[in-house]
């Protein structure tokens, strides 16, 4: 018992005052690979990686347990591979490997600013990172480590959006945070259509029936089944992630 208390104390990384500000105890952040490109056309931008790492750090400092799924679209997508003659499943495996590259880069950025991080891959790669084991992932988070889930679901024909909903359900997260380029869900792409309208709140069924391009349909269905709210916010807003954790700032909630 005494040991347990001592361990719990050691695990709690943050002062109680900060922790009380957060509405959520454990969240999963979904970042697309493109969010890490900065102004580049391809690959990773070190400054953007650092900036996103700082956003994650500020949320861990509130006492929130954070895990993340990072896409691979900045490096490779199975569908584009298929278009150039690579068979779809092979292309998808290549895409999953791309997500491992991104997760390692994010781990490096986080650890450089003092955030303990573990990469857990759905495709075992023992020389590079840990294999995905649900209970181990839980334990890492309880110890205050950021867990990065790499290699998506480990299966071709899926996306990292689905992986995000799947891991959020497995980890019993209180919310799935979908980081995008804009401050919520719009009726159309607001960067292309000036008549696009923004939604503050939506139900899962609204997203499916209006065919809103926020996450793919299997991800939305899985979040709905598991009753995990999806909060859509802009990763380009400085301090945006921490604000959403406190119910502040601009974001769209999908639930109900
Ligand atoms: N992928 C896959 N299974 C998964 C997750 C990802 O096959 O469970 C592949 C798929 O080819 C996908 C690529 O990995 O195109 C990169 O993921 P995604 O397109 O979701 O990345 P994002 O758009 O979020 O950067």
């Amino acid at each position: 018992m005494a040991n347990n208390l001592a361990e719990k104390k050691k695990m709690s990384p943050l002062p109680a005052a900060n922790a009380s500000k957060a509405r959520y105890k454990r969240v999963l952040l979904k970042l697309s690979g493109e969010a890490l490109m900065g102004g580049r056309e391809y690959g990773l931008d070190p400054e953007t990686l650092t900036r996103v790492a700082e956003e994650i750090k500020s949320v861990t400092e509130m006492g929130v347990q954070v895990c993340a799924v990072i896409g691979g679209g900045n490096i490779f997508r199975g569908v584009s591979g298929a278009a150039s003659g690579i068979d779809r499943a092979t292309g998808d495996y290549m895409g999953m490997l791309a997500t491992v590259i991104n997760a390692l880069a994010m781990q490096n950025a986080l650890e450089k600013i003092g955030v303990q991080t573990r990469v857990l891959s759905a495709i075992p790669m023992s020389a590079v990172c840990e294999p995905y084991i649900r209970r181990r992932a839980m334990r890492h988070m309880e110890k205050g480590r950021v867990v990065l889930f790499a290699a998506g679901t480990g299966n071709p024909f899926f996306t990292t959006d689905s992986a995000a909903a799947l891991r959020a359900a497995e980890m019993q997260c209180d919310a799935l945070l979908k980081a995008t380029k804009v401050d919520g869900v719009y009726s159309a792409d607001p960067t292309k259509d000036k008549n696009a309208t923004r939604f503050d709140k939506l139900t899962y069924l609204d997203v499916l029936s209006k065919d809103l391009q926020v996450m793919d349909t299997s991800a939305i269905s899985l979040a709905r089944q598991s009753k995990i709210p999806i909060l859509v916010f802009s990763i380009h807003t400085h301090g945006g992630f921490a604000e959403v954790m406190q119910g502040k700032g601009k974001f769209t909630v999908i639930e109900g």
Side-chain angles (χ1 to χ4, degrees):
M1 182 72 182
N3 269 351
N4 265 351
L5 277 178
E7 201 178 37
K8 264 194 185 142
K9 251 190 174 165
K10 213 169 65 192
M11 272 158 26
S12 158
L14 299 172
N18 271 344
S20 66
K21 285 193 203 159
R23 288 185 169 188
Y24 306 95
K25 209 170 153 255
R26 180 182 293 162
V27 298
L28 184 141
L29 173 68
K30 165 69 210 307
L31 274 170
S32 69
E34 283 173 5
L36 303 178
M37 286 194 316
R40 299 174 185 225
E41 304 241 305
Y42 174 86
L44 292 158
D45 173 48
E47 261 173 45
T48 308
L49 270 169
T50 308
R51 201 181 50 72
V52 175
E54 297 278 3
E55 296 281 327
I56 295 174
K57 183 180 184 181
S58 69
V59 170
T60 62
E61 284 175 344
M62 295 166 80
V64 181
Q65 295 177 12
V66 181
C67 54
V69 167
I70 307 176
N74 56 324
I75 301 172
F76 197 84
R77 277 209 175 90
V79 211
S80 7
S84 50
I86 297 173
D87 77 63
R88 175 65 194 268
T90 303
D92 280 343
Y93 279 111
M94 293 166 72
M96 286 185 262
L97 295 180
T99 73
V100 180
I101 295 177
N102 285 339
L104 292 175
M106 182 54 76
Q107 176 177 42
N108 185 71
L110 283 163
E111 297 215 321
K112 259 179 46 202
I113 55 171
V115 182
Q116 280 205 35
T117 308
R118 295 289 184 273
V119 175
L120 271 59
S121 172
I123 298 176
M125 243 177 262
S126 62
V128 174
C129 58
E130 294 180 28
Y132 170 67
I133 298 170
R134 190 179 73 91
R135 293 174 66 114
R136 189 186 277 184
M138 293 268 201
R139 188 80 187 113
H140 283 318
M141 277 190 284
E142 283 163 8
K143 287 184 174 172
R145 296 170 184 151
V146 170
V147 173
L148 303 178
F149 296 113
T153 62
N155 300 293
F157 303 102
F158 283 89
T159 63
T160 52
D161 277 354
S162 299
L166 174 67
R167 297 293 183 238
E170 289 185 274
M171 294 301 123
Q172 298 166 353
C173 288
D174 306 312
L176 194 172
L177 277 286
K178 163 84 179 176
T180 64
K181 285 182 274 188
V182 290
D183 58 2
V185 181
Y186 285 78
S187 56
D189 184 346
T191 58
K192 292 182 187 143
D193 181 349
K194 60 178 178 1
N195 296 320
T197 52
R198 187 180 168 281
F199 303 98
D200 273 334
K201 256 183 157 209
L202 287 164
T203 65
Y204 303 105
L205 287 180
D206 286 337
V207 177
L208 297 174
S209 64
K210 292 186 208 299
D211 196 22
L212 299 170
Q213 302 299 310
V214 45
M215 290 185 100
D216 61 49
T217 52
S218 44
I220 301 287
S221 305
L222 192 48
R224 179 175 178 237
Q225 258 176 45
S226 324
K227 300 189 171 53
I228 300 175
I230 303 173
L231 312 180
V232 185
F233 73 107
S234 167
I235 194 65
H236 299 306
T237 307
H238 182 66
F241 187 15
E243 276 183 356
V244 179
M245 288 295 95
Q246 300 167 65
K248 295 184 194 158
K250 274 187 125 189
F251 58 94
T252 299
V253 191
I254 305 167
E255 61 188 347

